[in-house]
Structure formats: structure tokens, C-alpha cells
């Protein structure tokens, strides 16, 4: 089948590569010249495990190519995917300008019947808007015999596991119009998705509007679970309960399940924040209030400040002369995506309070550099500026007052704790992803604060019972043995 995918980002590139891998002839279009040049040279502009190999393999096999020209690409298109960005506008609504531009171009260059698939996350009613835009262009061209079927096929892939999600999806949601064109679309898409449905049919067919809403409902539900657990963690902190025990206790209930129940520093990324806001906005435009989703968003905004609050409780508001290590910058592991990453909020707040920050991420160094320069001004990276990127995780720890773990990359999960302690000025760890076991950290002599994790050193640290240890340098001058005894005494409080 001849497939065009417009947009070579996380969704478009994965869609294009996976459809080429299953034998289709795929042209991927992007208006970004540098991106297209890089892709044609076998490079990949984003970090996604397995993607680069797949792109190169299919380029070499002649099944996949890249172009800036949608006109060229449209010459033999059976199916055209729209996978361009839908960023949030100031008011929280989805900005559809890229989607509608592509629709216009499809109308300008359509040669024969094609199925137009909205893969971008778009508000209810967008398929109808895309169809009108295409029809308007066909009318200008005087093309009365040409038509399209516009369907909604929202994407549910997770960055970091995108190839696997596309190749082995939980479900494929497709909304088709109730018309003869809709039937043609159903027929073509059944064929296109057949390789991903061999084990059993995962396609959930529905009407277009329901498919559009399904994507927002899915993201809102997942975001709700995260905010729910973050709110519970706050209460757990207050009550002296351990949120991880609570998580295991409720997750074992099959009606609840274990996924998306981790308390942390809040969700980020290109989807949950913008999609929850867009949902609230879409409801408001129809006079409705999404009470639950609004609360989810509010809890998340507050949660991004959770570790900042912890730092302030321990070190005060004036952080001049303080140095903090950050492990993890991407909004989650296995991606370089910095969109709405909690690290941006945390680093911004620390810098504003006068701190020095030394950060490390195994993959997102480049994207983080661009995002933080954008947020804080490029001068933060100048010599003597407030932010540095370290070459590796251990180097980030030299002389720091505390380590803040913000992304649960595997490489941070079982580090050389003894080596860490030797490099840090103070053995203080604020764990924004609850990666470490509080009891083990205590045994190792770290003062440890997680999110909703009950433990004595964290409690003592927050209650300033260890203020002398955090603010004074006394232990620096002790012998190793005396220092260990002091820490043992500290963690015994
Ligand atoms: N990233 C995810 O995990 C994810 C998951 C599911 C759904 N989505 C949705 O999919 C859509 C795309 O997201 P993404 O993360 O892939 O975005 P992205 O920003 O990574 O990629 C978008 C690409 O579209 C290109 N583009 C924009 N306008 C264009 C035009 N007029 N012509 C040609 N190319 C154009 C951009 O240059 C960019 O390469 C969004 O609606 C998003 O909400 C994203």
C-alpha cells in the first residue's frame, strides 16, 4: 500500500518506520528542511530505542523515504496520516494550525481517492474541519469527482517504548464516518493494520467523534491515576504512612491494577499536560466543567514543586552558595523529550533562589540544554553561570549539598552509593521518583526524602532535627570513622 505520513516527529516517524517495516511503500513528509536532510542521511532527530535501525533498514530497502514536498508525496497516496504537532495555545486549547495547513495541502495535491487519517491528538470536531478544508481546496481546483474519507485513528504509543507499542498495540482505535467513503476507509485500514492484528483483532471500530474523544479520555484517566497517587502521597507524608506500601496494596486489586500508580514529581511530556488542558477547554466551550480533570491538572502543577518545597524546608529560601546535583532531565526515562518536564520547574526554582545546579541525563543533555536556555536564558550555561551539565552521573555529585533524582533512568537505580557519598558535600538525597529504598539509604548513611515515603532520616531532616548536620561543616573535618559514627547517629534519630 502507498502511505504518506505528514510529520516526522515522535508519532509520525514511528508510524512511518513501522508501516514501512511491514512492507508498505512510505513517504514521510516534514516541513523542517534540516530534519528531512538528517533523515535522508540515515540519522534520527529524536531518541527512541530501536528507531534509528528501523529507519536505516527501510531507507536502504527503498520502502521509506523523506521529503519536504507534500505535492510529490501525494502522487500515489492510498492513505495519508496527519501526525503533526498540536501544541497548546495560551488559553489551553489545542492549536490546530499545523493540522489544518496539512489538510489544505492535501486538498491542493490530491490525485485520487485517499483515506486521510488524523493521528495527531485533536479535539472533537477536527475530522469534520479537516474534511471541509480539503473540500474547499478541491472546489477551488474544480475537482468535483475527487473525494476523501477522513478518519480518526488516535495514537497511544508511549515515548521510550514507541516501536513496541506500535507493533504490538493494546488496541487500535479507528473512527470512520458512516458513509460509502467510510466503508472504503474501513476496508483499506483493515488491510493496512492486518500485520499488527495477526494474533487477534485489536481494532476497536467506532464513529469519528467517539474516537476523537477516546484519546483525550485515555490520557485524562492516566493523568488522574498519577495525580490521585500524588495527592495520597502528600497525605501519607502527613500521616506517617508509606505510599509505596499503599500502592502495592491497592494495585493488587484487579479492578485497580498496578499501572500508573507511582507517586513522583508530577507528570510532564508532550501529551498529558496539554491534553488535559485541551479537554477542560473543549468542555468549557460547550458550557461544561470537567471537575475531575481540572483537579488533576491543579494537583500536578503543585506536585512539580514538591521537591522544591523539600529543598526549602531543609536549606531555606536563600540558596546562594548551595550546589545541587540533578539526576535525570527528560520528562521520563528512555526519551530525550523535555516538553513540560518537571526538571524544568525544579531547576528554574533552584536557580531563582540562587543555587548552582549540576545536572546529568544519559540521553537528554542536548534537548535539556536547549530547553533550559530557553527557560532561563543562555547565560545560565556561561562559565560561572548557574547551571552546568556534567559528563556523567558521578561527576555531577562533586561537592553538592544534595542530589535530586528527577527521572528514573535504569542507570540511576543501583549506583555506587559508597562512591557517591565520597563525592557529595552532604549525603542528602531527595528522590522525586521513589527509586531508592529508604531503609537501605539510611543504612548507607544518607539522609533521604522520597515522595510519601515514611523514614526516619527524612523526617528528622525535614523537621530540622538534623539542621546542624545539613548546615554545618563540622563532619567534614572528622576522621572517616568518626564521620561514619556521626552519620549512624544521625540516621538513628
Ligand atoms: N509524543 C507522543 O508521545 C505522542 C503520543 C500520542 C499522540 N501524540 C500526538 O501526536 C501529535 C504529534 O506529536 P509528536 O510528539 O510526534 O510531535 P513532534 O513535535 O515530535 O513532531 C511534529 C512534526 O511535525 C512537523 N510539522 C509541523 N507542521 C508541519 C507541516 N505543516 N508540514 C509538515 N510537517 C509539519 C514538525 O516539523 C515535527 O517534525 C500531537 O498531536 C501529539 O499530541 C503524541
Amino acid at each position: 500500500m502507498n502511505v504518506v505520513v505528514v510529520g516526522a516527529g515522535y508519532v509520525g516517524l514511528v508510524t512511518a518506520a513501522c508501516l514501512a517495516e511491514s512492507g508498505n511503500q512510505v513517504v514521510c513528509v516534514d516541513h523542517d528542511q534540516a530534519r528531512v536532510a538528517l533523515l535522508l542521511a540515515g540519522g534520527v532527530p529524536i531518541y527512541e530505542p530501536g528507531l534509528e535501525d528501523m529507519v536505516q533498514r527501510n531507507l536502504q530497502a527503498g520502502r521509506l523515504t523523506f521529503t519536504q514536498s507534500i505535492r510529490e508525496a501525494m502522487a500515489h497516496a492510498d492513505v495519508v496520516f496527519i501526525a503533526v504537532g498540536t501544541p497548546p495555545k495560551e488559553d489551553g486549547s489545542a492549536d490546530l494550525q499545523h493540522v489544518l495547513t496539512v489538510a489544505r495541502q492535501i486538498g491542493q495535491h490530491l490525485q485520487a481517492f485517499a483515506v486521510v487519517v488524523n493521528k495527531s491528538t485533536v479535539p472533537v470536531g477536527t475530522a469534520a474541519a479537516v474534511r471541509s478544508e480539503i473540500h474547499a481546496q478541491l472546489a477551488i481546483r474544480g475537482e468535483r469527482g475527487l473525494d476523501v474519507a477522513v478518519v480518526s485513528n488516535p495514537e497511544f504509543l508511549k515515548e521510550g517504548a514507541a516501536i513496541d507499542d506500535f507493533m504490538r498495540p493494546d488496541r487500535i482505535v479507528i473512527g470512520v464516518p458512516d458513509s460509502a467513503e467510510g466503508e472504503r476507509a474501513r476496508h483499506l485500514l483493515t488491510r493496512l493494520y492486518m500485520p499488527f492484528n495477526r494474533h487477534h483483532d485489536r481494532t476497536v471500530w467506532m464513529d469519528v467523534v467517539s474516537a476523537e474523544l477516546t484519546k483525550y479520555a485515555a490520557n485524562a484517566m492516566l493523568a488522574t491515576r498519577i495525580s490521585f497517587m500524588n495527592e495520597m502521597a502528600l497525605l501519607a507524608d502527613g500521616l506517617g504512612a508509606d505510599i509505596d506500601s499503599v500502592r502495592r496494596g491497592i494495585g493488587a486489586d484487579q479492578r485497580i491494577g498496578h499501572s500508573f500508580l507511582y507517586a513522583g514529581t508530577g507528570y510532564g511530556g508532550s501529551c498529558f499536560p496539554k491534553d488535559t488542558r485541551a479537554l477542560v477547554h473543549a468542555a468549557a466551550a460547550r458550557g461544561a466543567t470537567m471537575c475531575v480533570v481540572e483537579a488533576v491538572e491543579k494537583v500536578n502543577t503543585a506536585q512539580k514543586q514538591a521537591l522544591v518545597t523539600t529543598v526549602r524546608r531543609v536549606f531555606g529560601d536563600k540558596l546562594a552558595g548551595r550546589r545541587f546535583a540533578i539526576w535525570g532531565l527528560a520528562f521520563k526515562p528512555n526519551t530525550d523529550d523535555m516538553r513540560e518536564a518537571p526538571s524544568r520547574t525544579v531547576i528554574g526554582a533552584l536557580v531563582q533562589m540562587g543555587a548552582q545546579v549540576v545536572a546529568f541525563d544519559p540521553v537528554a543533555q542536548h534537548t535539556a540544554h536547549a530547553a533550559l536556555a530557553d527557560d532561563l536564558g543562555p547565560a545560565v550555561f556561561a562559565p560561572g553561570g548557574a547551571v552546568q551539565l556534567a559528563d556523567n552521573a558521578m561527576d555531577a555529585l562533586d561537592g553538592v549539598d544534595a542530589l535530586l533524582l528527577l527521572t528514573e533512568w535504569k542507570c540511576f537505580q543501583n549506583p555506587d552509593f559508597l562512591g557517591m557519598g565520597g563525592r557529595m558535600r552532604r549525603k542528602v538525597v531527595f528522590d522525586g521518583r521513589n527509586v531508592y529504598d529508604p531503609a537501605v539509604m539510611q543504612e548507607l548513611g544518607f539522609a533521604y526524602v522520597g515522595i510519601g515515603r515514611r523514614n526516619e532520616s527524612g523526617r528528622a531532616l525535614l523537621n530540622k532535627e538534623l539542621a546542624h548536620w545539613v548546615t554545618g561543616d563540622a563532619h567534614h573535618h572528622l576522621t572517616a570513622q568518626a564521620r561514619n559514627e556521626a552519620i549512624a547517629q544521625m540516621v538513628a534519630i
Side-chain angles (χ1 to χ4, degrees):
M1 207 172 284
N2 291 316
V3 177
V4 173
V5 179
V6 189
Y10 289 88
V11 169
L13 199 50
V14 169
T15 303
C18 291
L19 290 176
E21 182 82 357
S22 54
N24 299 288
Q25 223 33 64
V26 182
V27 183
C28 185
V29 184
D30 202 288
H31 65 178
D32 181 332
Q33 190 188 4
R35 187 163 278 225
V36 170
L38 176 70
L39 286 161
L40 284 171
V44 164
I46 54 172
Y47 176 81
E48 186 59 51
L51 184 60
E52 189 161 347
D53 282 352
M54 193 182 272
V55 167
Q56 286 174 358
R57 191 162 57 239
N58 285 284
L59 258 176
Q60 275 160 19
R63 285 189 299 264
L64 176 62
T65 189
F66 299 94
T67 177
Q68 272 186 282
S69 163
I70 195 163
R71 182 180 53 76
E72 229 173 74
M74 286 298 297
H76 308 286
D78 297 310
V79 181
V80 185
F81 284 89
I82 304 180
V84 294
T86 47
K89 290 204 268 195
E90 281 285 298
D91 63 2
S93 64
D95 184 348
L96 293 178
Q97 60 161 313
H98 301 303
V99 170
L100 295 177
T101 301
V102 175
R104 212 168 304 131
Q105 293 169 332
I106 292 172
Q108 285 161 356
H109 304 298
L110 189 76
Q111 303 293 325
F113 173 83
V115 178
V116 175
V117 184
N118 268 348
K119 217 171 212 343
S120 299
T121 303
V122 287
V124 170
T126 304
V130 164
R131 189 163 184 266
S132 319
E133 205 67 49
I134 294 172
H135 279 178
Q137 293 305 319
L138 291 175
I140 292 171
R141 288 168 58 195
E143 289 284 6
R144 289 187 207 296
L146 274 183
D147 208 352
V148 288
V150 181
V151 312
S152 167
N153 170 214
E155 183 51 61
F156 298 100
L157 61 75
K158 300 181 288 295
E159 286 178 21
I163 302 263
D164 203 48
D165 286 346
F166 197 97
M167 291 297 204
R168 276 174 284 277
D170 289 338
R171 80 300 208 188
I172 301 167
V173 170
I174 307 181
V176 288
D178 184 12
S179 62
E181 289 77 35
E183 268 314 299
R184 282 179 83 175
R186 184 191 274 260
H187 180 70
L188 273 169
L189 293 178
T190 301
R191 266 180 56 207
L192 186 67
Y193 279 121
M194 201 183 58
F196 314 104
N197 274 325
R198 288 184 72 82
H199 185 257
H200 64 274
D201 189 359
R202 297 172 163 98
T203 315
V204 185
W205 296 98
M206 58 183 77
D207 64 89
V208 172
V209 167
S210 303
E212 289 175 331
L213 186 56
T214 298
K215 174 64 190 177
Y216 283 100
N219 276 356
M221 171 62 91
L222 295 172
T224 301
R225 288 172 71 101
I226 295 173
S227 278
F228 176 84
M229 288 310 283
N230 282 335
E231 199 166 51
M232 279 294 156
L234 209 63
L235 187 60
D237 266 334
L239 297 174
D242 175 36
I243 195 64
D244 206 54
S245 304
V246 175
R247 175 186 70 77
R248 285 183 281 114
I250 65 173
D253 183 331
Q254 287 185 9
R255 294 168 303 177
I256 296 174
H258 289 286
S259 301
F260 280 80
L261 290 185
Y262 290 90
T265 47
Y267 58 75
S270 69
C271 294
F272 291 178
K274 94 171 160 59
D275 294 348
T276 47
R277 274 177 231 140
L279 192 55
V280 167
H281 189 274
R286 284 161 185 79
T289 309
M290 301 293 283
C291 301
V292 173
V293 184
E294 278 183 23
V296 165
E297 168 70 13
K298 197 168 155 199
V299 168
N300 194 58
T301 303
Q303 194 65 18
K304 285 187 174 181
Q305 296 287 344
L307 283 198
V308 177
T309 306
T310 302
V311 168
R312 291 170 68 165
R313 273 180 71 181
V314 175
F315 292 102
D317 287 348
K318 296 199 173 41
L319 300 180
R322 298 274 180 207
R323 192 176 166 91
F324 297 96
I326 305 281
W327 277 6
L329 294 162
F331 85 92
K332 67 173 186 177
N334 295 323
T335 183
D336 58 356
D337 201 336
M338 285 293 292
R339 288 178 280 188
E340 308 232 16
S343 64
R344 298 171 73 162
T345 308
V346 173
I347 292 173
L350 295 179
V351 168
Q352 203 180 18
M353 289 187 282
Q356 290 280 320
V357 171
V358 191
F360 173 74
D361 187 287
V363 164
Q365 302 273 92
H366 288 295
T367 45
H369 190 283
L372 293 169
D374 209 34
D375 292 351
L376 308 171
V380 287
F381 288 110
V387 182
Q388 284 170 45
L389 293 175
D391 291 337
N392 59 61
M394 290 308 250
D395 283 358
L397 298 177
D398 283 337
V400 296
D401 291 282
L403 162 66
L404 282 70
L405 188 139
L406 300 184
T407 317
E408 64 277 34
W409 286 95
K410 280 265 184 305
C411 62
F412 299 144
Q413 295 191 10
N414 199 12
D416 168 13
F417 288 109
L418 285 181
M420 284 167 65
R423 298 182 79 151
M424 298 169 75
R425 184 158 180 244
R426 306 179 202 289
K427 291 177 70 174
V428 177
V429 174
F430 300 132
D431 182 353
R433 297 294 171 187
N434 287 348
V435 164
Y436 303 127
D437 181 332
V440 171
M441 294 305 276
Q442 263 181 227
E443 260 173 53
L444 290 164
F446 287 89
Y448 173 85
V449 182
I451 307 279
R453 303 304 308 274
R454 192 178 62 163
N455 89 94
E456 290 309 306
S457 76
R459 186 193 60 74
L461 196 66
L462 291 170
N463 291 341
K464 304 251 183 240
E465 290 159 27
L466 297 177
H468 65 286
W469 189 75
V470 166
T471 53
D473 265 342
H475 298 302
H476 250 55
H477 308 295
L478 298 178
T479 62
Q481 192 194 346
R483 187 156 182 254
N484 284 344
E485 281 168 11
I487 290 168
Q489 200 188 352
M490 180 275 289
V491 296
I493 291 173

